[in-house]
Amino acid sequence: MKKLGFGNMRLPLKDANDPKSVDIDQLCQMVDLFIDAGFNYFDTAYMYHDFTSENFVRDALVKRYPRDKFILADKLPTMMLKAPEDQERIFNEQLEKCGVEYFDYYMLHNLGVNHYAIAQKMNSFDFIERKKAEGKAKHIGFSFHDNANLLDQILTEHPNVDFVQLQINYLDWENESIQSKKCYEVAVKHKKPVIVMEPVKGGNLANIPEEAEKLFKNYCPDMSLASWAIRYAASLPNVKIVLSGMSSLEQVKDNLSYMSDFKPLNDEEITIIKKAVEIINNLTAVPCTSCRYCVNVCPKHIAIPEYFALYNSEKQTKIKGLAHKVYYGNYIKNNGKASDCIQCRRCEKECPQHIEISEALKDVAKAFE
């Protein structure tokens, strides 16, 4: 199994404002190119693309290829469980939506302190172990967004999982909120292989400040910015797969250009990345990855990721102008304003990046309102 996986969280859209408007024709081309190049790992989840990602995986992949041609990963949405019986219902629904009889990799979705409590209450680890015994989940694990101490606790209390999925990228490696390095080291200690998510940090590392971009381009003009981020994660020895949420045929081609014959980073490249991290950290105001978990629970329907993207762009632009305010004005026609935040902090409980969203929204309101 090659180290690049196809993430189905950010598929190509016909309408950027409609997560269900996936361009199925382009997606089929992307899947074909990916498989033809010898790659086979695909990752989806119940909630992706407003609960339609699994359907598109079925149409673009499962219906068009023999079952032994691909490896499929899916996730049980712990955040949506109200009763233990929900697990069986959702699992069966996922099998049907994906059009498969089993999942190669199945995990509890987005464990942190709150969702782990739900998983414990619902006996979710027993559930996925039972699915493995039934042959309906070949490998079981969980995706994780919290601190290394909690990860150590979970792996100690549930040693029967086969793997763990972690957020790892060069910007979060030393970040004390995300703790990518510390979490990776915990996985190594427990001898659990790692699947990497967010290697490009929601696309942020493909759109970095000009000063940092020059460091990469001066070293190798032909290598994309995303390639540095994905190769960084793939260079870690305990990493089994690096997921890339590819949104276009061009992104697939780019990823294949350097991952088909993958070469780990050398010492000079690592030094360049460290310099880039310093530059980016000085200019990024809000480290949002646009996962949109916050949007699902916001009672005021605030377009939180879009506002943070505009705010970061405003902060990183040397010449200020009206462009960002114009975009902001367009968004608030159909969404709540940043100043509409009622400080309920439900969004912050769901945020994998541990951002103080309600406080950051005050800065957005100050900048654009």
Side-chain angles (χ1 to χ4, degrees):
M1 186 163 61
K2 293 188 176 182
K3 270 197 168 185
L4 178 66
F6 196 129
N8 287 266
M9 184 180 183
R10 299 180 175 93
L11 299 175
L13 298 177
K14 295 179 180 179
D15 179 355
N17 297 314
D18 180 6
K20 294 183 178 180
S21 66
V22 172
D23 185 342
I24 187 65
D25 291 336
Q26 183 175 182
L27 178 57
C28 287
Q29 294 179 56
M30 294 162 65
V31 167
D32 292 345
L33 191 62
F34 191 75
I35 289 182
D36 288 346
F39 295 84
N40 60 358
Y41 190 97
F42 294 82
D43 172 273
T44 187
Y46 192 65
M47 296 160 52
Y48 292 172
H49 281 273
D50 200 6
F51 302 92
T52 64
S53 175
E54 292 163 326
N55 300 98
F56 287 109
V57 168
R58 178 196 62 214
D59 293 342
L61 174 68
V62 177
K63 285 185 175 181
R64 302 172 63 244
Y65 285 93
R67 186 62 182 89
D68 61 356
K69 269 288 196 178
F70 60 87
I71 294 170
L72 183 59
D74 209 337
K75 310 175 188 74
L76 182 70
T78 53
M79 64 291 292
M80 299 182 67
L81 300 178
K82 304 298 181 185
E85 52 267 26
D86 289 341
Q87 298 174 119
E88 187 73 34
R89 173 183 58 80
I90 291 174
F91 183 83
N92 290 333
E93 182 184 346
Q94 290 177 298
L95 287 176
E96 182 178 355
K97 287 172 72 177
C98 289
V100 295
E101 296 182 353
Y102 66 89
F103 293 113
D104 299 281
Y105 285 73
Y106 194 73
M107 63 201 90
L108 303 181
H109 194 176
N110 190 15
L111 290 195
V113 62
N114 294 321
H115 296 158
Y116 181 51
I118 295 173
Q120 291 289 79
K121 182 179 179 181
M122 302 293 172
N123 294 316
S124 297
F125 283 89
D126 291 341
F127 174 77
I128 60 175
E129 285 188 43
R130 188 162 66 251
K131 289 304 163 188
K132 182 177 180 179
E134 294 172 359
K136 294 183 178 180
K138 303 296 184 182
H139 304 85
I140 56 173
F142 58 92
S143 62
F144 183 79
H145 289 286
D146 213 313
N147 64 67
N149 288 336
L150 179 60
L151 179 60
D152 191 40
Q153 176 188 338
I154 295 175
L155 290 176
T156 300
E157 294 175 354
H158 301 281
N160 292 334
V161 296
D162 301 311
F163 67 97
V164 61
Q165 185 161 302
L166 301 175
Q167 175 171 319
I168 294 178
N169 56 68
Y170 65 70
L171 197 60
D172 292 330
W173 188 245
E174 301 282 357
N175 186 300
E176 271 306 307
S177 293
I178 310 299
Q179 298 190 355
S180 286
K181 179 181 179 181
K182 290 181 179 180
C183 287
Y184 173 81
E185 290 170 345
V186 168
V188 171
K189 184 182 82 169
H190 287 270
K191 298 181 180 178
K192 304 299 181 185
V194 172
I195 295 174
V196 172
M197 56 186 165
E198 300 289 2
V200 194
K201 203 169 172 64
N204 287 342
L205 299 184
N207 184 29
I208 58 177
E210 184 178 351
E211 186 180 354
E213 182 177 350
K214 284 182 179 178
L215 289 175
F216 294 139
K217 292 301 183 181
N218 286 342
Y219 180 82
C220 186
D222 296 331
M223 293 296 288
S224 69
L225 298 177
S227 72
W228 287 82
I230 291 176
R231 287 179 61 228
Y232 180 90
S235 295
L236 297 168
N238 195 47
V239 166
K240 188 179 184 70
I241 287 287
V242 179
L243 297 173
S244 176
M246 293 173 274
S247 303
S248 69
L249 194 60
E250 289 69 28
Q251 290 179 4
V252 178
K253 291 177 180 178
D254 178 55
N255 283 344
L256 297 181
S257 70
Y258 56 85
M259 289 302 290
S260 292
D261 184 22
F262 169 66
K263 292 180 175 59
L265 295 172
N266 59 42
D267 291 341
E268 186 177 359
E269 289 172 320
I270 292 172
T271 299
I272 290 172
I273 285 178
K274 288 180 179 179
K275 292 178 180 178
V277 168
E278 294 179 9
I279 295 169
I280 297 168
N281 279 335
N282 288 334
L283 292 174
T284 300
V286 186
C288 173
T289 67
S290 298
C291 70
R292 307 193 69 80
Y293 295 159
C294 57
V295 176
N296 294 331
V297 298
C298 179
K300 305 301 287 186
H301 307 291
I302 300 171
I304 298 169
E306 287 81 3
Y307 295 169
F308 286 164
L310 288 175
Y311 185 65
N312 281 335
S313 182
E314 175 78 2
K315 290 296 181 181
Q316 293 170 359
T317 303
K318 295 179 180 179
I319 302 175
K320 307 298 181 183
L322 292 174
H324 297 120
K325 287 189 177 182
V326 170
Y327 278 107
Y328 182 78
N330 291 335
Y331 276 119
I332 63 175
K333 291 177 182 177
N334 298 307
N335 300 279
K337 297 186 294 185
S339 60
D340 289 338
C341 175
I342 59 174
Q343 306 282 309
C344 68
R345 301 187 186 278
R346 291 171 63 186
C347 55
E348 294 173 8
K349 293 180 180 179
E350 299 297 325
C351 179
Q353 312 307 319
H354 311 293
I355 299 168
E356 294 184 5
I357 295 173
S358 56
E359 293 301 312
L361 284 174
K362 293 179 182 178
D363 296 329
V364 173
K366 185 177 180 180
F368 298 135
E369 294 180 28

